[in-house]
Amino acid sequence: MTPKIACFLAERKPETPCLVVDLDVITENFESLRQALPLADIYYAVKANPARPVLERLRRLGSCFDTASIYEIERCLDLDIPASRMSFGSTIKKEPDIARAYAAGIDLYAFDSSAELEKISRAAPGARVFCRLLMDGVGADWPLSRKFGCDVDMARDMMLRCPSIGLQPWGVSFHVGSQQTDPGQWETAVSKTLTLFTALREVGIDLKMINLGGGFPARYSMEVPDDRTYADAIMSTLTRHFGNALPQLIVEPGRGIAGDAGVIQAEIVLISCKSHNDPVRWVFLDVGKFGGLPETADEAIKYRITSCRDGDPTGPVILAGPTCDEVDVLYENYKYYLPLSLKVGDKIEFLSAGAYTSTCASVGFNGFPPMKEYCI
Ligand SMILES: *Cc1c(COP(=O)(O)O)cnc(C)c1O
């Protein structure tokens, strides 16, 4: 937790649950990635944390923005982010939304299917398009496999059609999976990308861009390599495959920018056991799966947790949310150890919770309002 966040929590004593984002960490993460990958344009993945102050900070730093809905686009436009600094990166878009994005000036679109390509050709004539390749998400704690992308053969055939339907075949994208803990995973992706570039060059189509996706990690319970390690792995596989003729490069970090910048503070609502001699305490919090921690599904993302009684002897706990739904258990198989001295009313914090939390909270399941977010 940064001193700024610690101070804010101590002095303001905001109602819990809440997310506090330190904008200076957003800056540090952005600058660190920019330094590590100077050849790549950074398109921040807005969905990770679309808070206005976060977007404003990134706009001032010169970031571009990867958007996934017309609503994200309109939010960026509202903040005076020029359309030329945005891509419409979702592969699943309604045609009228593409038309609205096009009218706003956006001319870079993702697709991974013929039907989507046809929508873009009708609603955004002349636009630049990039095809997303299918990845398997190996090594990622939050894989984005199966749902997105297509194989190289199909990508080639769709790219070939582009000129005849009035689109510019611009590039290739992939996502190696979110919270990708293995920098080596870009290797397979870049190799597939080269196959596609080569196949298209043979038929006279020169792609211009590789979109290397997101996947850069936040610091949860496991240590992760730093930006430089990722950058070295990515650049070495790129130069091995493409030599010095590197296309334009784009990265789309979400978690890697916003994750470490935020802390969720929650309150303990209840501590109980299921029998007299049960060594495991159930600790119920005022935040759960529906309140902003959906990435605890299958215990995929394991946040670092601190409490006001750290340093005291600890014991195993099962952590659960406050709603009356059986799935609202955060961690049961992976055992967290928390101080035995914890009491009802104590505060605990989830560290590195700046991405995929506040905006993923339900609007009011069980009547619980979405948590407040403070950007400081
Ligand atoms: C969500 C998403 C990202 C961001 O992924 P992170 O792992 O959070 O960096 C990037 N690109 C696309 C297309 C996405 O859908």
Side-chain angles (χ1 to χ4, degrees), residues 43-48 66-68 87-91 110 130 132 142 144 148 173-180 186 211-217 220 251-259 295 355-356:
Y43 280 66
Y44 171 65
V46 172
K47 74 174 187 292
D66 173 54
T67 63
S87 61
F88 202 164
S90 167
T91 52
F130 57 93
R132 181 156 170 181
W142 195 261
L144 298 164
F148 306 104
S173 77
F174 52 78
H175 196 304
V176 294
S178 200
Q179 189 68 12
Q180 176 54 260
W186 272 266
N211 178 338
L212 300 153
F216 305 94
Y220 301 120
V251 283
E252 295 176 335
R255 192 187 301 278
I257 300 283
E295 290 197 323
Y356 306 118

Side-chain angles (χ1 to χ4, degrees), residues 171-219:
V172 173
S173 77
F174 52 78
H175 196 304
V176 294
S178 200
Q179 189 68 12
Q180 176 54 260
T181 53
D182 173 14
Q185 289 301 316
W186 272 266
E187 171 78 30
T188 322
V190 169
S191 153
K192 276 192 191 184
T193 302
L194 178 64
T195 310
L196 181 56
F197 266 66
T198 310
L200 285 168
R201 186 159 297 148
E202 279 164 10
V203 291
I205 291 183
D206 256 322
L207 295 181
K208 306 280 190 293
M209 181 272 281
I210 304 179
N211 178 338
L212 300 153
F216 305 94
R219 267 193 66 218

Side-chain angles (χ1 to χ4, degrees), residues 1 9 263-265 304-307 347-351:
M1 180 167 354
L9 289 172
V263 170
I264 288 177
Q265 188 172 60
R304 285 175 292 146
I305 294 178
T306 60
S307 80
K347 302 281 198 284
I348 77 164
E349 291 82 30
F350 291 81
L351 305 188

